[in-house]
Amino acid sequence: MSNDNTKLAATALVASGLGAALSYLMFQRQQNKSRTRSASMTFHTPSDAPATIGHSRTSFIFQDPEYDINSGDRSNSVSDNATILMPHSHEERMRRRIAARMAVEDENSQPRQSVTVRVPASSANCGPGYDCIGLAVDLWTEVTVSRADEFEITAEGDGAEEMPKDDSNYIVTGVKAAYETANKPMPPLKYHVVSRIPYARGLGSSSAAIVAGIIAGLVLAGHRLPVWGSESLLQIAASIEGHPDNVAPVIYGGFQVGIHNGTRWVTERIPSPPGMQCVMFIPDFIGKTSAARAVLKDTIPRADAAFNIGRVAFLIHALCLGNLDNLKWGVQDRMHQPQRAEVLYKHLFPMIKAAEESGACCAFLSGAGPTVMAFTSGASGDIFTQREKERTDYSVAKAMMEVAQTYGVKGRIVVTQASQEGARVVKVDPPFSSEFITFRDNV
């Protein structure tokens, strides 16, 4: 090897060694910065800060310990900001965002005089998903709650006559829960309901009322709740209803699957296949949930439990992949539909069979009944400008109505779709919008 080559090799070795050393020093310096930043983001309440703000309550209710930014024990939580966040770590991202801004979230906004809340219908169970799966349906009720001199409830629309007009109404129950959460006295209020959700027909009218009441009460009281890591609105609603299958889709929209994790209710969205429509046969008679639950036994055979577990998995898999053909198997059930059909709804299984034979992807009992819901495919854009033969909703509706007539069950067919949107405020006085920012619908 020549002297020039020897010098070149030696120079390369020295340069690579210096580069490695420099990289190590920069890495150590970055680690020290991360530790310093993490320490500087530990917030403490100033010594001169008031212990309480009036009679307000911290909005960190129903909080899981690992998300409580005031928790002293972080040993089991992801609290180190140097930890790599995965794309699905939404709640941890939000926890850090909140922690970087305030030590205690206690958001109390201006009380309002009047608020109008729009809430969707919902269909629970979807076959085998008893008390845990539901979807929001594109039928809406609007509830207006205003401060008044005395209590009053007025209603118009679907089910207005059957709706309770006293404080047993679930809207009032929801408002009371909201004021209790805000730790504020509930003033006299008047309520006006424009109902487009059939009352007590298995389409979540009670859950819609609960959620509308809670949201209206929170807005009127000027109180806000945390969502990430606690889903406090869901906790209040599910504690009243007893399960999340209706209230979760009413709050968040779409298909939802919810469970109780031992600490709180949690729910996740399931994808909704495009082009899917909901064809519903809604009987004229009321179906009481208490009566529908009374026909169910307290225990079920192991084979039936295994059957339902497999069907729930198959249902969620079909929805996630958009495989509408597999929905027929995914909605099968042995836990509640056969028992309710035998005692209460003789038309159920003949109607399911007729719907599927006429082109429906699947059909099932909506909630506790009596409504029967079928899913159809092929819709694209505005259906009234689309050729009917590209869809099956009309033929399925006709077949379902023929079965109803055979069994002497009076009712009507409603065709709509799943709603990807949940409950929302559509009007408020004074408004949230200002000269600097305009929210949707100028709310």
Side-chain angles (χ1 to χ4, degrees), residues 135 255 272-281 319 322-328 331 351-364 372-381 383 386-400 413-418:
L135 75 149
F255 280 90
S272 178
M276 189 183 78
Q277 290 182 283
C278 303
V279 181
M280 300 173 288
F281 172 73
L319 290 170
N323 187 343
L324 296 175
D325 292 337
N326 279 349
L327 290 177
K328 177 180 179 179
V331 299
M351 189 171 288
I352 289 175
K353 181 181 179 181
E356 291 176 348
E357 289 179 348
S358 299
C361 303
C362 65
F364 52 87
V372 179
M373 178 173 290
F375 290 159
T376 63
S377 62
S380 181
I383 63 171
Q386 182 185 16
R387 293 188 301 178
E388 283 188 7
K389 65 181 182 180
E390 294 181 349
R391 311 186 317 274
T392 58
D393 50 280
Y394 184 82
S395 59
V396 169
K398 183 178 178 181
M400 294 172 75
I413 296 287
V414 174
V415 179
T416 184
Q417 60 188 358

Short mmCIF file of all heavy atoms in Angstrom, two decimals, residues 135 255 272-281 319 322-328 331 351-364 372-381 383 386-400 413-418:
data_model
loop_
_atom_site.label_atom_id
_atom_site.label_comp_id
_atom_site.label_asym_id
_atom_site.label_seq_id
_atom_site.Cartn_x
_atom_site.Cartn_y
_atom_site.Cartn_z
N LEU A 135 -76.16 1.72 16.74
CA LEU A 135 -75.82 2.68 15.70
C LEU A 135 -76.78 3.86 15.76
O LEU A 135 -77.94 3.71 16.17
CB LEU A 135 -75.89 2.06 14.31
CG LEU A 135 -77.27 1.80 13.71
CD1 LEU A 135 -77.21 1.94 12.19
CD2 LEU A 135 -77.79 0.43 14.07
N PHE A 255 -71.74 3.60 14.18
CA PHE A 255 -71.79 2.35 14.94
C PHE A 255 -70.85 2.50 16.14
O PHE A 255 -69.73 2.98 16.00
CB PHE A 255 -71.32 1.17 14.09
CG PHE A 255 -72.35 0.62 13.16
CD1 PHE A 255 -72.47 1.12 11.86
CD2 PHE A 255 -73.20 -0.40 13.54
CE1 PHE A 255 -73.41 0.61 10.98
CE2 PHE A 255 -74.14 -0.94 12.67
CZ PHE A 255 -74.25 -0.42 11.39
N SER A 272 -68.76 2.24 9.17
CA SER A 272 -70.07 2.01 8.56
C SER A 272 -69.88 1.88 7.05
O SER A 272 -69.34 2.78 6.42
CB SER A 272 -71.01 3.18 8.86
OG SER A 272 -72.26 3.01 8.24
N PRO A 273 -70.31 0.77 6.46
CA PRO A 273 -70.12 0.57 5.02
C PRO A 273 -70.83 1.64 4.19
O PRO A 273 -71.97 2.02 4.51
CB PRO A 273 -70.74 -0.81 4.77
CG PRO A 273 -70.72 -1.49 6.09
CD PRO A 273 -70.94 -0.40 7.09
N PRO A 274 -70.21 2.13 3.14
CA PRO A 274 -70.87 3.12 2.27
C PRO A 274 -72.02 2.49 1.50
O PRO A 274 -71.99 1.30 1.18
CB PRO A 274 -69.75 3.57 1.33
CG PRO A 274 -68.78 2.42 1.31
CD PRO A 274 -68.84 1.82 2.68
N GLY A 275 -73.03 3.30 1.20
CA GLY A 275 -74.15 2.83 0.40
C GLY A 275 -75.18 2.03 1.16
O GLY A 275 -76.13 1.51 0.57
N MET A 276 -75.00 1.93 2.48
CA MET A 276 -75.93 1.13 3.28
C MET A 276 -77.13 1.98 3.70
O MET A 276 -76.98 3.12 4.12
CB MET A 276 -75.22 0.59 4.52
CG MET A 276 -76.03 -0.42 5.30
SD MET A 276 -75.17 -0.96 6.81
CE MET A 276 -75.49 0.45 7.88
N GLN A 277 -78.32 1.41 3.59
CA GLN A 277 -79.54 2.07 4.03
C GLN A 277 -80.22 1.26 5.12
O GLN A 277 -80.00 0.05 5.25
CB GLN A 277 -80.51 2.26 2.85
CG GLN A 277 -80.06 3.29 1.84
CD GLN A 277 -81.10 3.44 0.76
OE1 GLN A 277 -81.21 2.61 -0.14
NE2 GLN A 277 -81.88 4.50 0.84
N CYS A 278 -81.03 1.94 5.91
CA CYS A 278 -81.81 1.30 6.97
C CYS A 278 -83.29 1.30 6.56
O CYS A 278 -83.88 2.37 6.40
CB CYS A 278 -81.65 2.04 8.29
SG CYS A 278 -79.94 2.21 8.85
N VAL A 279 -83.84 0.12 6.39
CA VAL A 279 -85.25 -0.03 6.06
C VAL A 279 -85.94 -0.56 7.32
O VAL A 279 -85.65 -1.67 7.77
CB VAL A 279 -85.47 -0.99 4.88
CG1 VAL A 279 -86.96 -1.11 4.56
CG2 VAL A 279 -84.70 -0.51 3.66
N MET A 280 -86.86 0.22 7.88
CA MET A 280 -87.45 -0.11 9.18
C MET A 280 -88.95 -0.30 9.07
O MET A 280 -89.65 0.56 8.51
CB MET A 280 -87.15 1.00 10.19
CG MET A 280 -85.68 1.24 10.42
SD MET A 280 -85.38 2.68 11.48
CE MET A 280 -85.82 4.01 10.35
N PHE A 281 -89.44 -1.42 9.61
CA PHE A 281 -90.86 -1.58 9.81
C PHE A 281 -91.16 -1.17 11.25
O PHE A 281 -90.69 -1.81 12.20
CB PHE A 281 -91.34 -3.00 9.56
CG PHE A 281 -92.78 -3.21 9.95
CD1 PHE A 281 -93.81 -2.67 9.18
CD2 PHE A 281 -93.12 -3.89 11.11
CE1 PHE A 281 -95.14 -2.83 9.55
CE2 PHE A 281 -94.46 -4.06 11.48
CZ PHE A 281 -95.47 -3.52 10.70
N LEU A 319 -68.42 -5.32 9.23
CA LEU A 319 -68.54 -3.87 9.17
C LEU A 319 -67.19 -3.20 8.91
O LEU A 319 -67.09 -2.24 8.13
CB LEU A 319 -69.13 -3.34 10.47
CG LEU A 319 -70.61 -3.67 10.73
CD1 LEU A 319 -71.01 -3.30 12.15
CD2 LEU A 319 -71.50 -2.96 9.72
N GLY A 322 -66.38 -3.72 5.35
CA GLY A 322 -67.40 -3.30 4.40
C GLY A 322 -67.98 -4.47 3.63
O GLY A 322 -68.50 -4.29 2.52
N ASN A 323 -67.91 -5.66 4.21
CA ASN A 323 -68.41 -6.86 3.55
C ASN A 323 -69.88 -7.05 3.91
O ASN A 323 -70.23 -7.72 4.87
CB ASN A 323 -67.59 -8.08 4.00
CG ASN A 323 -67.94 -9.33 3.22
OD1 ASN A 323 -68.98 -9.41 2.57
ND2 ASN A 323 -67.06 -10.33 3.27
N LEU A 324 -70.75 -6.45 3.13
CA LEU A 324 -72.18 -6.48 3.43
C LEU A 324 -72.78 -7.87 3.32
O LEU A 324 -73.78 -8.18 3.98
CB LEU A 324 -72.91 -5.51 2.50
CG LEU A 324 -72.55 -4.03 2.66
CD1 LEU A 324 -73.25 -3.19 1.61
CD2 LEU A 324 -72.88 -3.53 4.05
N ASP A 325 -72.17 -8.74 2.52
CA ASP A 325 -72.70 -10.10 2.36
C ASP A 325 -72.61 -10.89 3.66
O ASP A 325 -73.44 -11.77 3.91
CB ASP A 325 -71.94 -10.83 1.25
CG ASP A 325 -72.22 -10.25 -0.13
OD1 ASP A 325 -73.29 -9.62 -0.28
OD2 ASP A 325 -71.38 -10.40 -1.03
N ASN A 326 -71.61 -10.59 4.47
CA ASN A 326 -71.43 -11.34 5.72
C ASN A 326 -72.29 -10.82 6.87
O ASN A 326 -72.32 -11.43 7.94
CB ASN A 326 -69.96 -11.31 6.15
CG ASN A 326 -69.14 -12.35 5.40
OD1 ASN A 326 -69.68 -13.21 4.72
ND2 ASN A 326 -67.82 -12.25 5.52
N LEU A 327 -72.97 -9.69 6.67
CA LEU A 327 -73.82 -9.17 7.74
C LEU A 327 -74.96 -10.13 8.07
O LEU A 327 -75.42 -10.18 9.21
CB LEU A 327 -74.40 -7.81 7.32
CG LEU A 327 -73.42 -6.64 7.24
CD1 LEU A 327 -74.13 -5.39 6.75
CD2 LEU A 327 -72.76 -6.38 8.59
N LYS A 328 -75.40 -10.89 7.09
CA LYS A 328 -76.50 -11.83 7.30
C LYS A 328 -76.17 -12.81 8.43
O LYS A 328 -77.02 -13.16 9.25
CB LYS A 328 -76.77 -12.59 6.00
CG LYS A 328 -77.85 -13.66 6.11
CD LYS A 328 -78.05 -14.35 4.77
CE LYS A 328 -79.11 -15.45 4.86
NZ LYS A 328 -79.32 -16.11 3.55
N VAL A 331 -75.51 -10.86 12.23
CA VAL A 331 -76.59 -10.36 13.08
C VAL A 331 -77.41 -11.47 13.72
O VAL A 331 -78.38 -11.21 14.42
CB VAL A 331 -77.54 -9.41 12.30
CG1 VAL A 331 -76.79 -8.20 11.78
CG2 VAL A 331 -78.25 -10.15 11.18
N MET A 351 -90.49 -11.85 9.06
CA MET A 351 -90.13 -10.59 8.42
C MET A 351 -88.64 -10.55 8.09
O MET A 351 -88.25 -10.04 7.02
CB MET A 351 -90.52 -9.41 9.32
CG MET A 351 -90.39 -8.06 8.64
SD MET A 351 -91.11 -6.73 9.63
CE MET A 351 -92.87 -7.06 9.44
N ILE A 352 -87.80 -11.07 8.98
CA ILE A 352 -86.37 -11.14 8.70
C ILE A 352 -86.11 -11.99 7.46
O ILE A 352 -85.35 -11.62 6.56
CB ILE A 352 -85.61 -11.71 9.92
CG1 ILE A 352 -85.60 -10.69 11.06
CG2 ILE A 352 -84.18 -12.09 9.54
CD1 ILE A 352 -84.97 -11.21 12.34
N LYS A 353 -86.77 -13.15 7.39
CA LYS A 353 -86.59 -14.03 6.24
C LYS A 353 -87.04 -13.38 4.95
O LYS A 353 -86.34 -13.44 3.93
CB LYS A 353 -87.38 -15.32 6.48
CG LYS A 353 -87.24 -16.34 5.35
CD LYS A 353 -88.06 -17.60 5.64
CE LYS A 353 -87.95 -18.60 4.50
NZ LYS A 353 -88.74 -19.82 4.74
N ALA A 354 -88.20 -12.71 4.98
CA ALA A 354 -88.72 -12.06 3.78
C ALA A 354 -87.80 -10.93 3.32
O ALA A 354 -87.57 -10.75 2.12
CB ALA A 354 -90.12 -11.52 4.05
N ALA A 355 -87.27 -10.17 4.27
CA ALA A 355 -86.37 -9.07 3.92
C ALA A 355 -85.10 -9.59 3.25
O ALA A 355 -84.67 -9.06 2.21
CB ALA A 355 -86.02 -8.27 5.18
N GLU A 356 -84.51 -10.62 3.83
CA GLU A 356 -83.27 -11.16 3.27
C GLU A 356 -83.51 -11.81 1.91
O GLU A 356 -82.68 -11.68 1.00
CB GLU A 356 -82.65 -12.15 4.25
CG GLU A 356 -82.12 -11.47 5.51
CD GLU A 356 -81.58 -12.45 6.55
OE1 GLU A 356 -81.81 -13.67 6.40
OE2 GLU A 356 -80.94 -11.99 7.50
N GLU A 357 -84.63 -12.48 1.74
CA GLU A 357 -84.93 -13.09 0.44
C GLU A 357 -85.23 -12.05 -0.63
O GLU A 357 -85.10 -12.35 -1.83
CB GLU A 357 -86.13 -14.05 0.59
CG GLU A 357 -85.80 -15.31 1.37
CD GLU A 357 -87.01 -16.22 1.53
OE1 GLU A 357 -88.14 -15.76 1.24
OE2 GLU A 357 -86.83 -17.38 1.95
N SER A 358 -85.59 -10.84 -0.20
CA SER A 358 -85.89 -9.76 -1.16
C SER A 358 -84.68 -8.88 -1.45
O SER A 358 -84.79 -7.88 -2.14
CB SER A 358 -87.04 -8.90 -0.63
OG SER A 358 -88.21 -9.68 -0.48
N GLY A 359 -83.53 -9.24 -0.89
CA GLY A 359 -82.31 -8.51 -1.22
C GLY A 359 -81.65 -7.78 -0.08
O GLY A 359 -80.61 -7.14 -0.28
N ALA A 360 -82.21 -7.84 1.13
CA ALA A 360 -81.57 -7.18 2.27
C ALA A 360 -80.28 -7.90 2.64
O ALA A 360 -80.18 -9.13 2.54
CB ALA A 360 -82.51 -7.14 3.47
N CYS A 361 -79.30 -7.13 3.07
CA CYS A 361 -78.05 -7.73 3.55
C CYS A 361 -78.30 -8.51 4.84
O CYS A 361 -77.68 -9.55 5.08
CB CYS A 361 -77.01 -6.65 3.81
SG CYS A 361 -76.64 -5.61 2.40
N CYS A 362 -79.19 -7.97 5.68
CA CYS A 362 -79.52 -8.60 6.94
C CYS A 362 -80.74 -7.91 7.52
O CYS A 362 -81.16 -6.85 7.04
CB CYS A 362 -78.35 -8.51 7.93
SG CYS A 362 -77.96 -6.81 8.43
N ALA A 363 -81.30 -8.48 8.57
CA ALA A 363 -82.41 -7.85 9.29
C ALA A 363 -82.39 -8.37 10.73
O ALA A 363 -81.93 -9.48 11.00
CB ALA A 363 -83.75 -8.16 8.63
N PHE A 364 -82.90 -7.54 11.66
CA PHE A 364 -82.86 -7.89 13.08
C PHE A 364 -83.87 -7.04 13.84
O PHE A 364 -84.43 -6.07 13.30
CB PHE A 364 -81.45 -7.66 13.65
CG PHE A 364 -80.90 -6.28 13.37
CD1 PHE A 364 -81.15 -5.22 14.21
CD2 PHE A 364 -80.12 -6.06 12.23
CE1 PHE A 364 -80.65 -3.95 13.95
CE2 PHE A 364 -79.60 -4.79 11.96
CZ PHE A 364 -79.87 -3.74 12.83
N VAL A 372 -88.52 -3.65 13.39
CA VAL A 372 -87.61 -4.57 12.72
C VAL A 372 -86.81 -3.75 11.71
O VAL A 372 -87.39 -3.00 10.92
CB VAL A 372 -88.35 -5.71 12.00
CG1 VAL A 372 -87.36 -6.64 11.30
CG2 VAL A 372 -89.20 -6.49 13.00
N MET A 373 -85.48 -3.88 11.75
CA MET A 373 -84.62 -3.10 10.87
C MET A 373 -83.88 -4.01 9.91
O MET A 373 -83.37 -5.06 10.30
CB MET A 373 -83.61 -2.29 11.69
CG MET A 373 -82.65 -1.48 10.82
SD MET A 373 -81.58 -0.37 11.77
CE MET A 373 -82.77 0.86 12.31
N ALA A 374 -83.82 -3.58 8.65
CA ALA A 374 -83.05 -4.30 7.62
C ALA A 374 -82.01 -3.34 7.04
O ALA A 374 -82.25 -2.14 6.93
CB ALA A 374 -83.97 -4.80 6.52
N PHE A 375 -80.85 -3.89 6.70
CA PHE A 375 -79.81 -3.13 6.01
C PHE A 375 -79.83 -3.52 4.54
O PHE A 375 -79.86 -4.71 4.20
CB PHE A 375 -78.42 -3.43 6.58
CG PHE A 375 -78.19 -2.89 7.97
CD1 PHE A 375 -77.19 -3.44 8.76
CD2 PHE A 375 -78.94 -1.84 8.48
CE1 PHE A 375 -76.96 -2.95 10.03
CE2 PHE A 375 -78.71 -1.35 9.75
CZ PHE A 375 -77.72 -1.92 10.54
N THR A 376 -79.81 -2.52 3.67
CA THR A 376 -79.71 -2.77 2.24
C THR A 376 -78.51 -2.02 1.68
O THR A 376 -77.96 -1.13 2.33
CB THR A 376 -80.99 -2.31 1.50
OG1 THR A 376 -81.14 -0.89 1.65
CG2 THR A 376 -82.22 -3.02 2.06
N SER A 377 -78.12 -2.37 0.47
CA SER A 377 -76.93 -1.77 -0.14
C SER A 377 -77.28 -1.14 -1.47
O SER A 377 -78.40 -1.27 -1.97
CB SER A 377 -75.84 -2.83 -0.33
OG SER A 377 -76.31 -3.84 -1.22
N GLY A 378 -76.30 -0.46 -2.05
CA GLY A 378 -76.44 0.09 -3.40
C GLY A 378 -76.74 1.56 -3.48
O GLY A 378 -76.72 2.13 -4.58
N ALA A 379 -77.05 2.21 -2.37
CA ALA A 379 -77.37 3.64 -2.44
C ALA A 379 -76.12 4.45 -2.76
O ALA A 379 -75.02 4.15 -2.27
CB ALA A 379 -77.97 4.10 -1.11
N SER A 380 -76.28 5.46 -3.59
CA SER A 380 -75.16 6.33 -3.95
C SER A 380 -75.69 7.72 -4.24
O SER A 380 -76.51 7.91 -5.14
CB SER A 380 -74.41 5.77 -5.17
OG SER A 380 -73.31 6.59 -5.49
N GLY A 381 -75.25 8.69 -3.46
CA GLY A 381 -75.74 10.05 -3.63
C GLY A 381 -77.20 10.16 -3.26
O GLY A 381 -77.72 9.44 -2.40
N ILE A 383 -80.82 9.33 -3.45
CA ILE A 383 -81.47 8.12 -3.97
C ILE A 383 -82.62 8.43 -4.92
O ILE A 383 -83.01 7.58 -5.73
CB ILE A 383 -81.97 7.23 -2.83
CG1 ILE A 383 -83.04 7.95 -1.99
CG2 ILE A 383 -80.82 6.77 -1.95
CD1 ILE A 383 -83.73 7.05 -0.98
N GLN A 386 -81.38 8.32 -8.41
CA GLN A 386 -80.73 7.06 -8.75
C GLN A 386 -81.78 6.04 -9.21
O GLN A 386 -82.89 6.00 -8.66
CB GLN A 386 -79.98 6.51 -7.51
CG GLN A 386 -79.23 5.22 -7.77
CD GLN A 386 -78.60 4.67 -6.48
OE1 GLN A 386 -78.96 5.08 -5.39
NE2 GLN A 386 -77.67 3.74 -6.63
N ARG A 387 -81.45 5.22 -10.17
CA ARG A 387 -82.37 4.19 -10.64
C ARG A 387 -82.67 3.20 -9.52
O ARG A 387 -81.76 2.72 -8.84
CB ARG A 387 -81.79 3.46 -11.85
CG ARG A 387 -81.67 4.33 -13.08
CD ARG A 387 -81.27 3.52 -14.29
NE ARG A 387 -79.98 2.83 -14.10
CZ ARG A 387 -79.43 2.02 -15.00
NH1 ARG A 387 -80.03 1.81 -16.16
NH2 ARG A 387 -78.26 1.46 -14.76
N GLU A 388 -83.94 2.88 -9.34
CA GLU A 388 -84.35 2.01 -8.24
C GLU A 388 -83.75 0.61 -8.34
O GLU A 388 -83.46 -0.02 -7.32
CB GLU A 388 -85.88 1.91 -8.17
CG GLU A 388 -86.55 3.13 -7.56
CD GLU A 388 -88.05 2.89 -7.36
OE1 GLU A 388 -88.50 1.75 -7.57
OE2 GLU A 388 -88.73 3.85 -6.98
N LYS A 389 -83.55 0.12 -9.55
CA LYS A 389 -83.06 -1.24 -9.69
C LYS A 389 -81.61 -1.39 -9.24
O LYS A 389 -81.10 -2.51 -9.12
CB LYS A 389 -83.21 -1.72 -11.13
CG LYS A 389 -82.38 -0.98 -12.16
CD LYS A 389 -82.67 -1.55 -13.56
CE LYS A 389 -81.83 -0.87 -14.64
NZ LYS A 389 -82.12 -1.42 -15.98
N GLU A 390 -80.92 -0.26 -9.00
CA GLU A 390 -79.57 -0.32 -8.46
C GLU A 390 -79.57 -0.54 -6.95
O GLU A 390 -78.53 -0.81 -6.36
CB GLU A 390 -78.81 0.97 -8.78
CG GLU A 390 -78.55 1.17 -10.27
CD GLU A 390 -77.79 2.45 -10.55
OE1 GLU A 390 -77.64 3.28 -9.64
OE2 GLU A 390 -77.34 2.61 -11.70
N ARG A 391 -80.75 -0.42 -6.34
CA ARG A 391 -80.88 -0.59 -4.89
C ARG A 391 -81.95 -1.65 -4.62
O ARG A 391 -82.67 -2.08 -5.53
CB ARG A 391 -81.29 0.72 -4.20
CG ARG A 391 -80.45 1.93 -4.59
CD ARG A 391 -80.82 3.15 -3.76
NE ARG A 391 -82.26 3.31 -3.60
CZ ARG A 391 -83.06 3.94 -4.46
NH1 ARG A 391 -82.55 4.47 -5.57
NH2 ARG A 391 -84.36 4.05 -4.23
N THR A 392 -82.04 -2.04 -3.34
CA THR A 392 -83.03 -3.06 -2.98
C THR A 392 -84.00 -2.56 -1.91
O THR A 392 -84.81 -3.34 -1.42
CB THR A 392 -82.33 -4.33 -2.45
OG1 THR A 392 -81.51 -3.99 -1.32
CG2 THR A 392 -81.47 -4.96 -3.53
N ASP A 393 -83.93 -1.29 -1.53
CA ASP A 393 -84.74 -0.80 -0.42
C ASP A 393 -86.24 -0.94 -0.69
O ASP A 393 -87.02 -1.30 0.20
CB ASP A 393 -84.39 0.65 -0.08
CG ASP A 393 -84.39 1.56 -1.28
OD1 ASP A 393 -83.40 1.55 -2.04
OD2 ASP A 393 -85.38 2.28 -1.47
N TYR A 394 -86.66 -0.67 -1.93
CA TYR A 394 -88.09 -0.72 -2.23
C TYR A 394 -88.63 -2.15 -2.15
O TYR A 394 -89.67 -2.40 -1.54
CB TYR A 394 -88.35 -0.12 -3.62
CG TYR A 394 -89.83 -0.05 -3.95
CD1 TYR A 394 -90.61 1.01 -3.48
CD2 TYR A 394 -90.45 -1.04 -4.72
CE1 TYR A 394 -91.97 1.07 -3.77
CE2 TYR A 394 -91.80 -0.98 -5.01
CZ TYR A 394 -92.56 0.08 -4.53
OH TYR A 394 -93.90 0.13 -4.81
N SER A 395 -87.92 -3.09 -2.75
CA SER A 395 -88.38 -4.48 -2.73
C SER A 395 -88.36 -5.05 -1.32
O SER A 395 -89.26 -5.82 -0.93
CB SER A 395 -87.51 -5.35 -3.66
OG SER A 395 -86.15 -5.32 -3.25
N VAL A 396 -87.37 -4.67 -0.52
CA VAL A 396 -87.30 -5.14 0.87
C VAL A 396 -88.45 -4.55 1.68
O VAL A 396 -89.11 -5.25 2.46
CB VAL A 396 -85.94 -4.76 1.50
CG1 VAL A 396 -85.96 -4.99 3.01
CG2 VAL A 396 -84.82 -5.57 0.84
N ALA A 397 -88.73 -3.26 1.50
CA ALA A 397 -89.83 -2.61 2.22
C ALA A 397 -91.16 -3.27 1.89
O ALA A 397 -92.00 -3.52 2.77
CB ALA A 397 -89.87 -1.13 1.88
N LYS A 398 -91.36 -3.59 0.62
CA LYS A 398 -92.61 -4.21 0.19
C LYS A 398 -92.77 -5.60 0.82
O LYS A 398 -93.85 -5.96 1.30
CB LYS A 398 -92.62 -4.32 -1.33
CG LYS A 398 -93.91 -4.89 -1.90
CD LYS A 398 -93.86 -4.92 -3.43
CE LYS A 398 -95.14 -5.54 -4.00
NZ LYS A 398 -95.08 -5.60 -5.50
N ALA A 399 -91.68 -6.35 0.86
CA ALA A 399 -91.73 -7.70 1.44
C ALA A 399 -92.01 -7.65 2.94
O ALA A 399 -92.78 -8.46 3.47
CB ALA A 399 -90.42 -8.43 1.17
N MET A 400 -91.41 -6.70 3.63
CA MET A 400 -91.63 -6.57 5.07
C MET A 400 -93.08 -6.18 5.37
O MET A 400 -93.70 -6.70 6.31
CB MET A 400 -90.66 -5.53 5.66
CG MET A 400 -89.20 -5.96 5.59
SD MET A 400 -88.03 -4.66 6.07
CE MET A 400 -88.23 -4.65 7.86
N ILE A 413 -93.43 1.78 7.02
CA ILE A 413 -92.04 1.59 6.62
C ILE A 413 -91.35 2.94 6.56
O ILE A 413 -91.88 3.90 5.97
CB ILE A 413 -91.94 0.89 5.25
CG1 ILE A 413 -92.51 -0.53 5.31
CG2 ILE A 413 -90.49 0.87 4.77
CD1 ILE A 413 -91.66 -1.52 6.06
N VAL A 414 -90.18 3.03 7.15
CA VAL A 414 -89.34 4.24 7.07
C VAL A 414 -87.98 3.83 6.52
O VAL A 414 -87.37 2.88 7.01
CB VAL A 414 -89.17 4.91 8.44
CG1 VAL A 414 -88.18 6.08 8.35
CG2 VAL A 414 -90.51 5.40 8.98
N VAL A 415 -87.53 4.52 5.49
CA VAL A 415 -86.22 4.25 4.89
C VAL A 415 -85.31 5.43 5.19
O VAL A 415 -85.63 6.58 4.87
CB VAL A 415 -86.32 4.04 3.37
CG1 VAL A 415 -84.94 3.79 2.77
CG2 VAL A 415 -87.26 2.88 3.06
N THR A 416 -84.17 5.16 5.79
CA THR A 416 -83.20 6.21 6.09
C THR A 416 -81.81 5.58 6.06
O THR A 416 -81.59 4.58 5.38
CB THR A 416 -83.51 6.89 7.44
OG1 THR A 416 -82.60 7.97 7.65
CG2 THR A 416 -83.45 5.93 8.60
N GLN A 417 -80.88 6.13 6.79
CA GLN A 417 -79.51 5.62 6.80
C GLN A 417 -78.90 5.80 8.18
O GLN A 417 -79.48 6.48 9.03
CB GLN A 417 -78.66 6.36 5.76
CG GLN A 417 -78.58 7.85 6.01
CD GLN A 417 -77.91 8.60 4.88
OE1 GLN A 417 -77.46 8.01 3.90
NE2 GLN A 417 -77.85 9.92 5.01
N ALA A 418 -77.74 5.20 8.39
CA ALA A 418 -77.01 5.43 9.63
C ALA A 418 -76.50 6.87 9.63
O ALA A 418 -76.16 7.42 8.59
CB ALA A 418 -75.84 4.45 9.76
#
